[in-house]
Structures are given as structure tokens and as C-alpha cells.
Amino acid sequence: MRSRTGLLRLSLFALALTLAIPASAAPDVSPSRKDIQMVSPALDKYTQDRLLGEVWKRPGLSARDRSIVTVAALIGRNQTVALADHVKLALDHGVKPAEVSEIITHLAFYCGWANAISAIDIAKDVFAQRNIGPDQLPAASPALLPLNEAAEVDRAKRVNDQFGAMFPGVVQYTTDVLFRDLWLRPDLAPRDRSLVTISALIANGQVAQLTGHIPIGMNNGLTQPEIAEAITHLAFYVGWANVFSAMPVAKEVFEKRAR
């Protein structure tokens, strides 16, 4: 019988090899390691030596956080071919079913409803396999976390001053639905919501939004080294071009914050 470490390594290997395949083109079954070796021995070596051998073992981010980053990136890019195994891995790494549920709900607003529905179609089977029932999921309308009223008033004023005259609907929904409701749902900590949001923004190349969301994340408890490590992790899952687009924006935010 394989050890838990061996099974985890095989699972990660299969996941790593499918993440670049668009959901629309992905086969129903992930390629095996033998399949990959038949086509690209070099990819097999990079997967074993670098991704599995180094990246997932780096100390700057916990395995739980790496799973959150990866699940957010997969949902953000609608790469459902690898999502089932990564949801399982996230649960194994200590992400609660309620947190998985909230990640999907949160990303409906940041990556689109269709991406969230696609993720639900995958996650429901994982939940069924693990006997995860309604009692382990968040309430539809829970008691919300306390709001930092001063910070929210400041944020709302800045957005309204910039966009309110021309896009009043977006501005109003941003206040009422996102920052006075979604971000206050209690089953995903604000720090983790920020990690999810930053990961999804980078995954989708929406780096302009990092100027607002990295400071929010740091205010919510993320550290600069953790954000830097999340970006390092994402290089392997969303591509070097996306992280190199994100790094100048993140660097500027870090430098301004240090002044």
C-alpha cells in the first residue's frame, strides 16, 4: 500500500499536469504520469523536481493556504478538469467544507457566476463522496461579522466620487452586496477572502485591482511575505506572464505601505 505522502505526491502530479488545459478542451480523465512521459519527459521532470519537489514544500505559505490559492486560481480560470482533486486536497489540508463553499460563493462576484456554477458542479460530487451534508455548509443568510464603519465609509466615498455619477448601479451594488454583505460572511475569514481574491485577480490578469486588494489583504492579516509566496506559487498554476504582470503592481503597493 502506498504511503499517504506517496498518494499525495501522485495526486499532485496528476493535478499539475492538467492545469494549463482550458476547461472547454479538457478530457474527462486527467492524463497519467505515463501518458505525460510518452509526450513530454521534460514536463514530467519539472513536475517532479520543481513543482512537487520544491514549490509545495516551500515554508513561506502553509499547505492549507497553498490549496486555497490553487482552488481560487482554478475557479478563476474555469479549469475544472483539476478542480475535484484540488478540492479533495484542500479538505485534506484543513480547509473546511464551509470554507470551500464560501470560496465558490465569493468568486461568483470576482470571476463570474458561470465559473462558480461550474465549480459547484465539481464540488458537489466531492462533498457527496465525503458525506458532507447541509449541516457542514454555511447558512444562506448568517449573522454578519462586524463592519469597520469608518473604513467602509472612506472606501465608498472614494469609489462614489470616481464612478458614482456614471455607474451608480455598480457603485451601489459594490457597497450593498460586496462590502456590506459578502465580505462580512463569517464562514471564511477576511484574511482568507483576501487570499482568494488576490489569487483570482492574478489568475485572470486583473492586476489593476491589486492596488486596492493587496492593502485590504494586509489589513485583514496577510503579510507581505505571504503575498509574495502566493505569487510565487501562482507562477506555476497561472503562468509566468500573469505573475510578472502582477509583481510591479504588488511591489509598488508594498513600497508605499512601507513609507
Side-chain angles (χ1 to χ4, degrees), residues 5 56 71 98-99 126 129 151 161 163 188 191 196 217:
T5 300
W56 276 85
V71 167
E99 292 172 326
V126 176
Q129 291 166 12
D161 289 348
F163 298 117
L188 189 65
R191 173 198 178 274
V196 167

Side-chain angles (χ1 to χ4, degrees), residues 7-17 52 56 86 89 237:
L7 288 171
L8 175 60
R9 190 175 181 84
L10 285 173
S11 177
L12 284 171
F13 174 81
L15 296 169
L17 298 176
L52 306 185
W56 276 85
H86 264 298
L89 194 62
Y237 287 91

Side-chain angles (χ1 to χ4, degrees), residues 11 58 70 76 107 132 135 164 168 174 178 186 228 246 256:
S11 177
R58 287 172 61 89
T70 309
L107 288 175
I132 295 168
D135 60 314
T174 300
L178 265 66
K256 285 183 178 179

Side-chain angles (χ1 to χ4, degrees), residues 165-183:
M166 292 188 178
F167 309 102
V170 175
V171 169
Q172 193 62 51
Y173 282 127
T174 300
T175 294
D176 293 348
V177 182
L178 265 66
F179 287 99
R180 288 184 176 270
D181 186 348
L182 180 70
W183 276 84

